[in-house]
Amino acid sequence: MARRPVNPPADGWSLTLPPRLWNELSQHLFRDKEEHGAVILAGRADGPRGPRLLARELLVARDDEDYGPGERGHRALSPTFVRDAIIRARDEQLSYLAVHCHFGLDRVQFSRVDLASHERGYATLRQISGQAVGGLVVTPHAAAGDLWLPDGSRTSLSETVVPAGNMLRLRPSPAPPAASDPVWDRQARLLGDRGQETLARLRVAVVGLGGVGSILVEELARLGVGQLVLIDSETVDATNLPRLLAAERTDIGKPKTDLAARNASRANPQIRLTKIPRRVENPEALRELVLCDWIFLAADSHSARHWVNAVVHEFLVPATQVGVKIPISRDGSIGQIHTATRLIAPGIGCMWCNGLIDPTELAIEMHPEAEREQARYVLGVPAPSVMPFNTLAVGEAVTHFLLASAGLHETNDDLGSVIHRPRTRERHLQDPRQNAHCRWCTSTGNLGRGANGELAARQASTTRV
């Protein structure tokens, strides 16, 4: 298949589709040379460049039963199918998007017949549901949307985003060529000018600014990422100095967010920075996380894993967990050292499904700081940490992010984790598991619920307090 155009992030309304839902939709729409239809039910959230619709569920229209010959156009959804879907949208406070395919590849637009049908039907559907309604027309490489909003206005969809192995951004037509900056010439020769512009328009969070996080910040800034959100509640300790990139002795006692911001600005004076010297569960930190395009999780606490996991699946923001494990027994024996780089893609398994969050540790970490150590039976002992292993893990994570952003992975379906075992020089791939009725990463739970999900509800209640 022809390579997709690389489209930088666009301002305005967007739709995000979890990879598994996009694959299911593609197999339904593009399986032959006929026209097929479906409906997407979507949550709603604010995003870094405008409002976002978050696809939560796909309702496939069966040919000749739910989607058949229309009175005015080629084919249309049946009245019964539309009725059932719009009632669900109303009851579950979800947006309704009717989808059909057109022929072609890189460009798509609604036909006059399509737009006439929107004029006849969408004002009524909007009134019934009280939510945004509209139409989406797609080809394998392009998408256009016509949205009718609850306030009575109407707008177009700027882009449809699929956070798969490659970050797909579908527009009605390919983005125009970007003006290149000579500073980025050497890497733009690999990424292309549109790939480099993509990095410049991304808003990326780094949660945890210790040994792993400090290297992540340096590499992301030097690649030309436009905006970083830096989250860490700790200050620099003397024992941190060997592992914190570019740390100086005068940094002892300063917030780690200050050190990370200084290094990022040195690497890229144009970068925009948001410093959050708080734990990740703080409402301020959560509000910033849901407005990001990508999250790097470099904190090892179960609390950080839980909240980042919730953001990924409720708000469809992809993340990469980066960590290093150096097991040493009481007698000093060194176990199997490994680094882990885990892609957490929305709707493709989660950290709960894969046993990466310990409920007991999470409960302890949710206590106030003064009570945490008392709640443990054994006092915590600092784990070993060495800079070269951190560098190995970060290199894998940022390489994946870079190739995904510029659409350079060989396949869109590579969503696995990478485990390095430096002592044996082995490297393994692991695919994520998913529990059928997971509370976070399935449509029976919080997937794509956005502003109506559990995390948003917690933010609201905390803000009221």
Side-chain angles (χ1 to χ4, degrees), residues 68-77 79 113 120:
E71 294 181 3
R72 295 181 174 86
H74 179 53
R75 306 193 108 189
L77 293 168
V113 173
R120 289 193 300 274

Side-chain angles (χ1 to χ4, degrees), residues 118-129:
H118 297 181
E119 298 281 354
R120 289 193 300 274
Y122 284 152
T124 301
L125 294 181
R126 176 172 60 189
Q127 191 172 21
I128 293 172
S129 70

Side-chain angles (χ1 to χ4, degrees), residues 90-341:
R90 180 199 64 190
D91 293 347
E92 299 179 30
Q93 297 183 293
L94 299 171
S95 296
Y96 165 104
L97 284 174
V99 191
H100 71 282
C101 56
H102 275 186
F103 305 120
L105 197 60
D106 292 343
R107 299 173 187 275
V108 69
Q109 63 180 2
F110 290 106
S111 67
R112 285 184 295 178
V113 173
D114 290 334
L115 294 172
S117 73
H118 297 181
E119 298 281 354
R120 289 193 300 274
Y122 284 152
T124 301
L125 294 181
R126 176 172 60 189
Q127 191 172 21
I128 293 172
S129 70
Q131 308 295 322
V133 303
L136 182 73
V137 59
V138 296
T139 71
H141 292 184
D146 179 22
L147 301 180
W148 295 56
L149 306 179
D151 64 3
S153 63
R154 181 178 178 182
T155 190
S156 299
L157 201 61
S158 296
E159 62 177 2
T160 296
V161 182
V162 183
N166 286 314
M167 197 80 176
L168 310 181
R169 296 183 182 277
L170 311 179
R171 294 190 187 187
S173 59
S180 58
D181 185 333
V183 169
W184 310 108
D185 175 70
R186 295 290 293 275
Q187 64 189 46
R189 290 173 185 269
L190 168 66
L191 307 176
D193 290 339
R194 292 191 183 99
Q196 188 62 52
E197 185 185 356
T198 295
L199 293 177
R201 291 186 62 82
L202 291 180
R203 191 175 199 263
V204 177
V206 180
V207 178
L209 300 170
V212 170
S214 70
I215 305 171
L216 279 167
V217 169
E218 181 79 13
E219 292 202 10
L220 294 171
R222 291 196 181 277
L223 284 173
V225 169
Q227 187 171 4
L228 289 180
V229 177
L230 308 171
I231 301 175
D232 197 312
S233 65
E234 296 184 347
T235 56
V236 177
D237 182 83
T239 62
N240 300 144
L241 294 180
R243 299 183 307 283
L244 291 178
L245 205 66
E248 301 168 0
R249 292 198 174 276
T250 55
D251 292 324
I252 294 172
K254 295 179 180 177
K256 288 183 178 177
T257 48
D258 286 356
L259 175 59
R262 184 188 70 199
N263 290 348
S265 295
R266 284 176 177 171
N268 178 5
Q270 306 302 318
I271 199 167
R272 290 167 290 154
L273 300 168
T274 301
K275 295 188 293 183
I276 310 291
R278 306 277 188 274
R279 285 164 59 92
V280 70
E281 63 265 33
N282 182 280
E284 182 184 6
L286 292 173
R287 281 195 295 273
E288 294 294 339
L289 279 186
V290 303
L291 295 174
C292 288
D293 295 294
W294 199 290
I295 301 168
F296 284 94
L297 171 58
D300 200 33
S301 72
H302 294 265
S303 171
R305 292 181 184 186
H306 170 68
W307 293 112
V308 169
N309 187 72
V311 171
V312 169
H313 300 287
E314 275 191 30
F315 291 85
L316 308 186
V317 180
T320 308
Q321 187 217 359
V322 194
V324 177
K325 181 76 171 178
I326 305 177
I328 297 183
S329 64
R330 291 180 180 276
D331 66 2
S333 300
I334 302 173
Q336 185 59 273
I337 299 169
H338 69 272
T339 73
T341 304

